[in-house]
Amino acid sequence: MRKRNESVTVEHERAAAAPAPLDKGCSLRHSLRLPAATAATNTGMKRPLGRRYGLWFRLRRLIIWLLGVYVAIPFLVKLCPAIQAKLVFLNFVRVPYFIDLKRPQDQGLNHTCNYYLQPEEDVTIGVWHTVPAALGKNARGKDQLWFEDALGSSHPVILYLHGNAGTRGGDHRVELYKVLSSLGYHVVTFDYRGWGDSIGSPSERGMTYDALHVFDWIKARSGDNPVYIWGHSLGTGVATNLVRRLCERETPPDALILESPFTNIREEARSHPFSVIYRYFPGFDWFFLDPITTSGIKFANDENVKYISCSLLILHAEDDPVVPFHLGKKLYNIAATSRSFRDYKVQFVPFHTDLGYRHKYIYRSPELPRILREFLGVSEHEHHH
């Protein structure tokens, strides 16, 4: 009995020690199974690895897509110069939205009249005329004819040429009208063709012609009152185009004021914050600047000032992020040494960075009334024969 038990035990041990049977393919018939705890651990490790791989795959795909767009945009701009023209004018950006340009009083301009002029066939431009604050009470409820007659009163007139984007009802523009009106000026401003509620397609030539038409319209009604031209940002390009043309026909304005001006549109485009990501892109000028020129857009302030013969005042904030301060200073240096200004006053007024006036808030300066009074007070017939 004892021997039998020992025999059974030995056979059992042999069976346990014997290798698992092989199938015809010489592989184990029964797969080895890991303990449950070990399998669970491996599954837990696979999930984070899978997530990381999926996240990296999506991130890589996004980077490749962005890189493709980055490289494609220059070629798109080169093939379609109209895109670059749109970016220069930005006339499709209407800010603030939902304002009725026929009702300037909604913007706090209670002594302002809205009317429309037609510089050319199929072109209509919307105009605002704000009278001096001293005439404010009399202006309320008056019609366009009264406002036109008021231009003949003994108050100087400023023709204001705004920059790109927005309309004549832009917030900073409205605030400037109020300041100038309080200082005793008529302010006449308008939206170029293609801006605001003005009808037509924008172009440098068209914008300049619109400005010329409004200037002539003012002169026909203002008598001997001084007429000054004030351009801001892109409007400085329109202003120097206009004044050069006026000087060539020997009907110059009494003074030219340039706020935040540039030298020419190519240098401004190269310095604009939008161009930062492409500034060092191979062929930047060919891709981005040449299409502007191809579209007939130059706004060559640096060339125009060489043919302008009237007093010139330049205002520029040192912290201007849109038109760099050095471009305004460079334009001043060109004008100051130009023979065309030898008999006229040329002045450059910088505004320190600490003031925070940036690109469009110079109207906030408490010094502005004094600056204008001192400059315009002696600008008329500032000849030194």
Side-chain angles (χ1 to χ4, degrees):
M1 192 71 186
R2 188 175 182 180
K3 289 180 179 179
R4 186 178 179 183
N5 288 341
E6 288 176 355
S7 176
V8 171
T9 303
V10 171
E11 289 177 0
H12 179 73
E13 288 175 352
R14 287 175 182 171
L22 299 174
D23 59 15
K24 291 182 180 179
C26 298
S27 59
L28 291 175
R29 188 176 295 166
H30 303 287
S31 60
L32 296 176
R33 293 184 181 178
L34 293 172
T38 305
T41 302
N42 287 345
T43 303
M45 290 176 64
K46 287 178 181 177
R47 284 176 183 170
L49 288 173
R51 287 175 186 166
R52 288 177 191 170
Y53 180 78
L55 180 62
W56 166 243
F57 178 77
R58 287 194 294 270
L59 182 61
R60 187 175 64 178
R61 189 166 60 180
L62 177 62
I63 291 172
I64 293 173
W65 183 83
L66 289 175
L67 186 62
V69 171
Y70 178 79
V71 173
I73 285 176
F75 289 94
L76 185 63
V77 170
K78 184 65 179 179
L79 292 172
C80 305
I83 294 175
Q84 193 70 317
K86 284 285 187 184
L87 294 177
V88 170
F89 297 137
L90 289 178
N91 58 301
F92 56 90
V93 178
R94 180 167 175 166
V95 180
Y97 297 98
F98 309 120
I99 70 168
D100 186 355
L101 292 171
K102 295 182 177 66
R103 294 178 52 82
Q105 59 269 31
D106 291 348
Q107 310 307 309
L109 297 172
N110 296 318
H111 46 295
T112 299
C113 184
N114 174 76
Y115 32 83
Y116 297 92
L117 301 178
Q118 192 170 13
E120 295 178 308
E121 188 177 356
D122 299 326
V123 175
T124 303
I125 56 175
V127 181
W128 279 0
H129 172 199
T130 302
V131 297
L135 304 178
K137 290 183 179 179
N138 294 334
R140 294 189 182 183
K142 296 298 193 301
D143 59 9
Q144 179 178 336
L145 186 59
W146 183 92
F147 275 83
E148 290 187 28
D149 290 341
L151 285 170
S153 62
S154 57
H155 293 274
V157 184
I158 291 179
L159 170 58
Y160 179 78
L161 306 172
H162 68 65
N164 68 354
T167 67
R168 61 190 184 277
D171 294 340
H172 64 284
R173 295 162 187 164
V174 169
E175 293 305 314
L176 178 61
Y177 309 155
K178 292 177 181 178
V179 170
L180 297 178
S181 173
S182 69
L183 297 177
Y185 299 100
H186 289 273
V187 182
V188 178
T189 186
F190 66 96
D191 280 321
Y192 315 105
R193 61 187 71 189
W195 272 260
D197 57 353
S198 296
I199 299 171
S201 299
S203 67
E204 180 175 356
R205 186 207 69 82
M207 295 163 71
T208 303
Y209 191 81
D210 293 344
L212 177 62
H213 182 81
V214 177
F215 178 84
D216 288 341
W217 181 87
I218 292 170
K219 289 295 290 183
R221 292 156 177 78
S222 60
D224 295 329
N225 294 325
V227 178
Y228 310 122
I229 294 174
W230 184 313
H232 173 244
S233 192
L234 189 66
T236 64
V238 182
T240 62
N241 281 349
L242 169 62
V243 177
R244 175 178 176 174
R245 190 163 176 176
L246 293 175
C247 290
E248 288 174 346
R249 74 177 195 185
E250 299 182 352
T251 58
D254 293 276
L256 171 61
I257 302 168
L258 301 178
E259 179 188 356
S260 306
F262 49 86
T263 47
N264 58 71
I265 199 63
R266 287 180 71 96
E267 287 196 358
E268 161 55 15
R270 188 180 292 113
S271 304
H272 198 280
F274 287 165
S275 71
V276 170
I277 60 174
Y278 283 105
R279 197 167 295 161
Y280 302 105
F281 189 88
F284 174 81
D285 285 17
W286 188 78
F287 278 113
F288 292 99
L289 303 186
D290 289 353
I292 297 177
T293 307
T294 302
S295 299
I297 304 172
K298 297 180 180 178
F299 291 115
N301 290 336
D302 50 356
E303 284 298 314
N304 288 337
V305 294
K306 298 174 183 177
Y307 301 91
I308 289 175
S309 299
C310 69
S311 297
L312 173 64
L313 171 64
I314 296 178
L315 310 171
H316 214 136
E318 293 177 355
D319 59 338
D320 190 330
V322 178
V323 180
F325 178 80
H326 71 86
L327 291 185
K329 187 67 174 177
K330 182 178 180 180
L331 181 64
Y332 165 75
N333 291 333
I334 294 171
T337 57
S338 174
R339 293 182 60 189
S340 64
F341 284 103
R342 66 180 181 272
D343 294 329
Y344 297 92
K345 185 175 183 180
V346 180
Q347 183 177 349
F348 182 86
V349 180
F351 294 87
H352 197 272
T353 300
D354 293 344
L355 297 171
Y357 295 153
R358 297 173 68 79
H359 183 60
K360 56 186 182 182
Y361 300 114
I362 287 177
Y363 72 84
R364 294 177 178 173
S365 172
E367 295 297 312
L368 186 59
R370 178 190 60 78
I371 293 168
L372 294 178
R373 184 171 60 250
E374 292 179 359
F375 181 80
L376 297 179
V378 295
S379 66
E380 301 169 49
H381 313 298
E382 179 75 8
H383 300 281
H384 304 289
H385 295 297

